[in-house]
Structures are given as C-alpha cells and as structure tokens.
Amino acid sequence: MSEIAPKELRIVGFLCNWCSYGGADTAGVSRFRQPTDLRVIRVPCSGRVDPLFIVKSLLNGADGVLVSGCHPRDCHYTDGNFYARRRLEMLKRLLPFLGIDEKRFHYTWISASEGARWQKTVTDFTTQVHKLGPLHSTTEAQIGS
C-alpha cells in the first residue's frame, strides 16, 4: 500500500537488467518500504531506452517515467549509459516543447547493491509526480489528442 497518496498514479520505470533492477530487488529483499505506483519494465541496458518509449508512455497514460541504469563506467556493455545520458538529457529539454512538464521524467544511476538509494529515488520521484498530479486530467498533455 502506498504511503504517499491514497490514489496511485501511473509511473513507468525502465530499469537496466544488470544494475538498477538488482537495486530494486535489493530494496525489496531488504523490505524497504517504497511506493507502489511504479510499474517496472526491465531492459537489457539503459542505452537501449529509445526516447520515443518515454514520450509514448507519457502520451498514452503514464503520469511519470523513470529511467535507471548502471553508474557511468560500470555499464555491462561499456558505453550504454553514456549513450543513454546524452539521449535522455536531450529528451528532458524537449519535453516542455511537447507540453509535458520535465519534472515528470527522471533518469538516474543505481547499482545492484544500492537498495536504500533505490528506495529514496523512487520515493522522491513518486512524491514529485504526486505533487504535479495526474498528467491527463490537466491541459498539460492535450497535444496528444
């Protein structure tokens, strides 16, 4: 049950298989309390997350999107998170032009041993999205219709 708000919002999380998914698993195994709004999509690498996945998620019902991968220089595929960082930073600057508040999107680096960091990141991001409210009940994302 969510501690943040009585109503859950839809938050999509693209998590790197090698690090961030392990961090989320570590948080779960350690029984750290965390919001239940996040729906996890496990990807092989954060570098494989196409910015269109994020835009489509936001336009098709998600209230927020979180991308999490390995720390720089710890990428299982050497450079995947550097590619991700470049693309995701550009997307973050593009979102306001699409009529979407950039605070609805966040990317971060979390390793498999950082369960507490995962919990804090998810809790902070979920709190931020709850402050913004549902995306599709406002005029914020009316461009999709």
Side-chain angles (χ1 to χ4, degrees):
M1 181 181 260
S2 176
E3 293 179 351
I4 293 175
K7 184 178 184 317
E8 283 191 3
L9 295 178
R10 289 182 224 147
I11 300 173
V12 177
F14 293 98
L15 307 184
C16 156
N17 177 54
W18 303 103
C19 290
S20 295
Y21 191 84
D25 192 40
T26 300
V29 168
S30 301
R31 298 188 183 268
F32 293 144
R33 297 185 67 112
Q34 48 189 309
T36 57
D37 305 67
L38 187 76
R39 303 295 182 259
V40 173
I41 299 173
R42 192 176 186 173
V43 294
C45 176
S46 59
R48 296 294 307 254
V49 177
D50 189 321
L52 280 177
F53 297 166
I54 297 158
V55 172
K56 285 183 178 180
S57 297
L58 290 168
L59 293 178
N60 290 320
D63 299 303
V65 176
L66 174 70
V67 176
S68 186
C70 302
H71 288 283
R73 304 203 189 282
D74 284 343
C75 178
H76 188 78
Y77 301 104
T78 311
D79 296 329
N81 48 15
F82 289 115
Y83 294 128
R85 182 173 61 190
R86 187 176 313 135
R87 287 187 209 131
L88 299 177
E89 195 58 44
M90 291 299 291
L91 175 67
K92 200 163 193 150
R93 294 178 189 171
L94 179 68
L95 286 176
F97 292 104
L98 298 174
I100 298 171
D101 191 330
E102 67 184 58
K103 292 177 187 167
R104 294 187 181 278
F105 169 65
H106 182 66
Y107 68 90
T108 187
W109 317 122
I110 296 174
S111 75
S113 63
E114 296 177 319
R117 183 180 169 136
W118 169 257
Q119 177 205 25
K120 181 174 178 357
T121 299
V122 170
T123 303
D124 291 348
F125 183 64
T126 303
T127 302
Q128 182 173 310
V129 172
H130 274 270
K131 284 180 185 171
L132 295 170
L135 174 62
H136 299 282
S137 68
T138 64
T139 58
E140 190 177 350
Q142 294 302 317
I143 61 155
S145 57

